[in-house]
Amino acid sequence: MKKILLLSDTHSYIDDAMIKHINWADEVWHAGDIGDLRVTDTIKAIKPLRAVYGNIDNKEARMEFPLHNRFLCEEVAVWITHIGGYPGRYNPSVLKELQMNPPKLFICGHSHILKVQFDSKHNLLHMNPGAVGTHGFHTVRTMLRFVIEKEAIKNLEIIEIKR
């Protein structure tokens, strides 16, 4: 069993409210737009981190983190990328791979809009944790936390933090 904290779009921001939830997790997953690597360095000092770079990230972030991160967590195939789109409106750069080799859990960031949706066409769960940084149009900072146990994704919770 793994407790996962999923976040995105930190845009160089990390605070004690985020760290409280990082401490809860077994692993932290970051879906891009990290900003300053001080954010990921802080997370890595507390818990294991899996991350991808986003469109605002500099060459240092792009050297440390991939554009796409595919891995197995317990028995769940996971794919994290920053700009992925949504069921029915996937980014063309990921659609072909989703059709040929879909994960069980597809994660992206970028939109700053929290959304969790089952995609019956590709038989996968799509998650976007919204934005937990302070840069952007969102009025509430959000993250997701959940548990992966064997092949099950369960106990999904939305975390909202005042901006």
Side-chain angles (χ1 to χ4, degrees):
M1 179 183 86
K2 292 256 182 168
K3 297 184 292 186
I4 307 300
L5 179 68
L6 174 60
L7 52 89
S8 187
D9 295 272
T10 48
H11 291 265
S12 302
Y13 188 80
I14 190 161
D15 65 7
D16 289 341
M18 294 164 63
I19 290 171
K20 173 183 137 189
H21 294 287
I22 290 166
N23 283 319
W24 167 89
D26 294 321
E27 289 185 8
V28 177
W29 299 351
H30 194 306
D33 277 3
I34 297 160
D36 191 322
L37 288 180
R38 175 183 59 84
V39 171
T40 50
D41 290 345
T42 300
I43 294 168
K44 288 189 298 187
I46 302 168
K47 296 290 176 161
L49 172 69
R50 298 179 189 261
V52 296
Y53 70 80
N55 57 295
I56 67 122
D57 290 316
N58 63 21
K59 72 175 185 178
E60 286 78 21
R62 291 168 190 244
M63 288 173 54
E64 184 167 347
F65 301 107
L67 175 61
H68 303 285
N69 195 345
R70 290 194 78 149
F71 56 92
L72 199 61
C73 180
E74 296 276 313
E75 297 171 30
V76 174
V78 180
W79 180 1
I80 304 175
T81 194
H82 184 61
I83 301 176
Y86 293 101
R89 297 187 60 201
Y90 288 114
N91 186 302
S93 67
V94 301
L95 182 58
K96 188 173 184 178
E97 180 69 17
L98 277 177
Q99 292 168 333
M100 291 180 1
N101 186 20
K104 183 168 184 171
L105 177 57
F106 181 68
I107 295 168
C108 63
H110 186 62
S111 71
H112 291 217
I113 299 169
L114 185 145
K115 186 180 246 186
V116 177
Q117 181 179 353
F118 185 73
D119 178 351
S120 57
K121 182 175 180 180
H122 297 99
N123 194 33
L124 61 84
L125 182 61
H126 173 278
M127 289 186 186
N128 184 323
V132 73
T134 57
H135 176 79
F137 65 87
H138 58 282
T139 57
V140 177
R141 299 165 49 218
T142 57
M143 299 182 285
L144 294 171
R145 71 182 188 182
F146 53 94
V147 171
I148 295 181
E149 187 171 4
K150 296 184 181 175
E151 74 285 342
I153 302 164
K154 58 188 188 178
N155 302 333
L156 177 65
E157 296 178 63
I158 296 170
I159 299 165
E160 295 182 333
I161 303 172
K162 288 187 179 180
R163 188 158 166 190

